[in-house]
Amino acid sequence: MTAAALSRLLPPGRVGIQLVESEAIGTIGVGEATVPHIRFFNAKLGFDEADFMARTKATFKLGIEFRNWGRKGDAYIHPFGAFGDDLGGVPFHQQWIRARQAGSDTGIEDFSFPIVAARRGKFSHPAEDPKSPLSTFSYAYQFDATLYAAYLREFAGQHGVKRIEGRVVDVKQNAQSGFVESLSLESGEKLEAELFIDCSGLRGLLIEQTLKTGYDEWGHWLPCDRAYAVPCDTSGPLMPYTRATAQDAGWIWRIPLQHRVGNGHVYSSAFCSDEHAERVLLEQLESPPTSDPFKLCYTTGKRRRQWSKNVVAIGLSSGFLEPLESTSIHLIQLAIGYLVDFFPDRDFNPMNEIEFNRVTALEYERIRDFLILHYHATERDDTPFWNYCRTMDIPDSLAYRMELFRERGVVPHYREGMFLDASWLAVYFGQRVMPLHYDPAAESLPGAKLAGTLSAMREEYVRAADAMPGHEAFLKSIGAMA
Amino acid sequence: MEGARQKVVIAGQGAPAWLTAAAFTRSLGKRGYSVTVVATGSKPGDQPFGIGDGTLPPVGLDRDPFPDEFRAVAASGAAWSLGIALSGWAAPGVTYFHPFGSLGAEFGPVSFQQLVLKLRKEGVAIRFGDYSLAAMAAQAGRFKRPDGNPRSVLSTCRHGLHADLEHLSELARIEAGREGVATAVGNLKAIERAEDGSITALGTDAGERIEGDLFIDCSGPEAKLAGPGPGSGWEDWSPWLPCDRIISASVETLEPPLPYSHAEANPGGWVQYLPMQGKTVLNAVFSSQHAEDEDVLRIFQGYIGTSEVPGGACHPVSFGRQLFPWQGNCVALGTTAAVIDPIGISNLHLLKTGIGRLLTLLPGEADARLMAAEYNRQTAAELCHARDFAQLHYRLNGRRGEAFWDGARSAAVPASLGYKLQMYANLGRVAMYDFEPLDDASWINLFDEQGVQPRQLHPIADGIGLDELKKHAERVRAVMMDALRKMPLHADYLSQVNANYTKYLNQEADK
């Protein structure tokens, strides 16, 4: 992603990009589900959607369904879109809380168009007409990360990136400044450069093994530290959403692609053995596995400095946040965006590094808090893992947010941080965090009028969703699927 | 909670009290709430910037709590504002414009600002204001309210208002009265408190006793309910904002108002000229150590052309803020909560964002302590950046050899502003935080016009071909020029709005 983006965004002829990659080193193919920002990334690179989707076996994604999180048996969708419009001068969810307190049993999901569509397996592109329910959502993709890498590799090659097959065996630093000067490959080839981007994955070849920037561990808040991943064949209709089903000591993902389903079990080794985790995953597959399960060990957290000297860490070398909210690819995209914003010249003005690290740290911490919310906001007391998560200390920043929400449904805005109000609302409501009180200004709208508006909205959403094509039919209609 | 009726008591008078009262009734309706205003005895003009003030386009405000703009213009003589012309700040005799809205248009991954820096490097003389629709319209005396289409170039042009506060207050008072706001007969005399310090009732000199659940202090810097200003819980901004005295006046004018204000620096401070329909309000902000009242009045006389200065109220002023504007069941709003040098953000604007924020966080039945904590957190962040923006005008002044300005140029800056300065001086970028009251365009324009040259030009901007860039800049300007030609003159637009309002009133009267 980095090579493709930089080859497109940096002025041609002034910056040369070389990419060292070893076929002997595997990549982690877990990041197959994305968030809507990926569309801006693809658009910047000029990808044709249907072509990109056909080549990466991609499907559309309207959100993530979470099963068994708040309680066993619960299911909710975190959608890519807002819950209703402001109503009576207050945010929609305030009116919904009010309606619930007045005895209505209407679910918040009825007022999210992407959820209504996702539940019916429907998809079409959003509409521009602000009066249409189809203007109220965004979407992302689920794709084969290996095929996406190949797609990007081809693009980067066409845009002048020089790919070098090989393995880095030595890193030479400047004796005074510590800046990286060159990489030596197994072949004996020596690569000199001014800026090095570390996409080496969890080990952090340059950012950690060479520059030793340190790592903030967040395992006490996000105790999962291992995962098994395994693909299987699709059975049943192609759903336009990812699924995350909570387990006894972690959760299982299900990502529907055109040609297969990606599955994985994320778990905590403190609460679950590897053998058990693997067995649970295989038992829940909807069809026989098409390859052996692949095991991954990680430490949740973030590199203390994601940019240090002339090395910028992008991807898993910069930190690891589990794929519960499909943030891995987004974090790569974000880092590329910030790198372009703060692109250094030969003088390496240190302010680039300082500001890059300030804003990326905020992004990481706010995603971290959002992930912790999923584990902490639970009533589950059926396993030691959930007892731990339910009762653990959480970061002050999250405790404060939750308190404001529980008391009066307030979701404070922030500047950096990818998850907006609607995302927080989806998880709060989906996991039974109900505000005690609502905005008193909600009552400026008469109660009878509110009830009428809500039921009209609900009907309109159902009608509009029923009129949409099925997900698979739509994929075929635009030439994204054979 | 339906059925419960909460009592809101507002202490104060003039625009702060009535704008708050009107906003409460508009937002909450009559159900569930009662609102009472208790005067605290001072004349509205006694408040700093109490004669006339301006607002800016709101950033991140969920609810606009002020009266509808068209009504404010037609019924209270307000006028639109596209920005501020600043003369004598960058250097004596040099004028630049702080436009509301965005600057230019980005080019691929490169911000417009970096493109400007690149063009200058190539020898092209270019100013941000030449690529701001707000600046161009201000210069041409044109104005039109944007139609709300975010794709239209008109959306890049934002605006505020200039208002006569007595008239605006009257407009809000009528609206509040119609919606059932009660007014105490007497003035505030006594404050009853519970053991925990919360206020239970206000007593007046007419013998009334007004109980309340929530008390809002709009009494001005005296902070009659919220406690004394300077003293405990007060952040003093005098190390950063060097003026300590203001004189305000209002003069009648015959010409139609310009759609922008003017901030003219002088050896001991500066004078703000706020044009509105039929008058211009003058606010002189200065340092009593560096200028006498007579010096300022002479500037006023020069502007007015007579020796008589109408109004001419002099006040000492202490810039700063309450550390905890919401304490217990009492919220300080407007100049009760903070008084700022209005070179960047105005006091009326801070009143507006304060009311909007309070309405967004109104507890109802919820635990007010939590809402207060969040209110205070957001307010502190907003005010920190507002203060920094004001100080930056002084800090970057180009008036050499004048004691006041030399001192301001070498004054220390808070860490937050220090970081912004360092970032801009090095990279030409603005470090932005949560709850910033302005968009980064305002900061960029100020840094640039007051002489900060970034050390690093963005390498991507540097790599773009000159012809390509020139074409892009020409395209941007052409689109803006086209929009500008379709904009009516501000004067004509005002006449149209006034005529429509009269027609509307006549229709209402006929009903």
Side-chain angles (χ1 to χ4, degrees), chain A residues 10 14 98 340-345 349 352 355 358 366 400 407-408 413 415 437 439-440 443, chain B residues 1-2 31 33 62-63 360-362 365-367 374 419 426-427 429 432-434 456 458-459:
Chain A
L10 299 181
R14 292 174 57 102
R98 175 184 172 212
V340 167
D341 283 350
F342 296 102
F343 206 82
D345 60 15
N349 189 313
N352 282 308
E355 183 67 355
R358 181 181 79 85
R366 285 169 173 170
Y400 178 73
E407 192 60 33
R408 222 220 62 187
H413 307 310
R415 188 176 284 271
H437 308 284
D439 188 332
E443 289 180 14
Chain B
M1 71 169 270
E2 311 216 12
R31 295 154 41 83
Y33 274 80
D62 287 338
R63 288 173 216 187
T360 306
L361 293 171
L362 210 59
E365 300 280 287
D367 184 345
E374 180 61 10
Y419 187 71
N426 279 283
L427 307 181
R429 287 184 63 96
M432 296 292 283
Y433 297 86
D434 294 339
Q456 181 194 310
H458 196 286

Side-chain angles (χ1 to χ4, degrees), chain B residues 99-122:
Chain B
F100 297 152
S102 55
L103 305 170
E106 60 190 9
F107 186 74
V110 184
S111 69
F112 186 76
Q113 172 222 4
Q114 293 288 343
L115 301 183
V116 167
L117 298 178
K118 164 70 175 172
L119 282 166
R120 284 197 196 137
K121 185 184 161 189
E122 301 291 339

Side-chain angles (χ1 to χ4, degrees), chain B residues 367-415:
Chain B
D367 184 345
R369 283 170 303 183
L370 280 170
M371 299 301 117
E374 180 61 10
Y375 181 91
N376 291 340
R377 181 180 80 94
Q378 292 186 14
T379 306
E382 175 194 43
L383 290 175
C384 162
H385 303 303
R387 174 205 64 203
D388 286 357
F389 188 68
Q391 192 195 353
L392 193 57
H393 291 78
Y394 289 95
R395 166 81 187 199
L396 298 178
N397 83 79
R399 302 178 71 96
R400 282 160 210 284
E402 291 172 335
F404 171 76
W405 294 98
D406 288 343
R409 213 166 35 245
S410 57
V413 294

Side-chain angles (χ1 to χ4, degrees), chain A residues 377-393:
Chain A
T378 183
E379 295 175 8
R380 286 188 62 162
D381 56 4
D382 54 313
T383 68
F385 173 81
W386 289 107
N387 281 332
Y388 173 81
C389 293
R390 201 186 64 251
T391 57
M392 69 184 168
D393 280 337

Side-chain angles (χ1 to χ4, degrees), chain B residues 286-305:
Chain B
F286 61 102
S287 158
S288 61
Q289 281 174 42
H290 299 89
E292 300 293 332
D293 290 358
E294 290 70 39
D295 300 332
V296 170
L297 288 170
R298 258 197 304 281
I299 297 175
F300 281 18
Q301 285 159 358
Y303 177 80
I304 301 166

Side-chain angles (χ1 to χ4, degrees), chain A residues 64-79 83 93 96-97 100 107-109 115 119 244 246 325 370 373-380 405 421-435:
Chain A
I64 304 173
E65 184 190 31
F66 290 90
R67 289 188 174 178
N68 299 339
W69 286 81
R71 275 186 203 168
K72 265 187 156 172
D74 281 359
Y76 71 94
I77 289 182
H78 167 196
F83 293 98
H93 74 275
W96 180 75
I97 300 166
R100 292 283 290 206
I108 191 77
E109 299 211 337
I115 297 181
R119 290 278 183 218
E325 283 285 358
F370 187 58
L373 174 68
H374 294 68
Y375 287 98
H376 184 64
T378 183
E379 295 175 8
R380 286 188 62 162
F405 186 78
D421 304 12
S423 296
W424 287 86
L425 292 176
V427 178
Y428 281 136
F429 290 136
Q431 299 196 193
R432 299 173 178 270
V433 182
M434 265 307 223

Side-chain angles (χ1 to χ4, degrees), chain B residues 256-273:
Chain B
L258 294 169
Y260 59 90
S261 68
H262 182 197
E264 185 180 44
N266 59 56
W270 64 285
V271 177
Q272 177 183 49
Y273 302 86

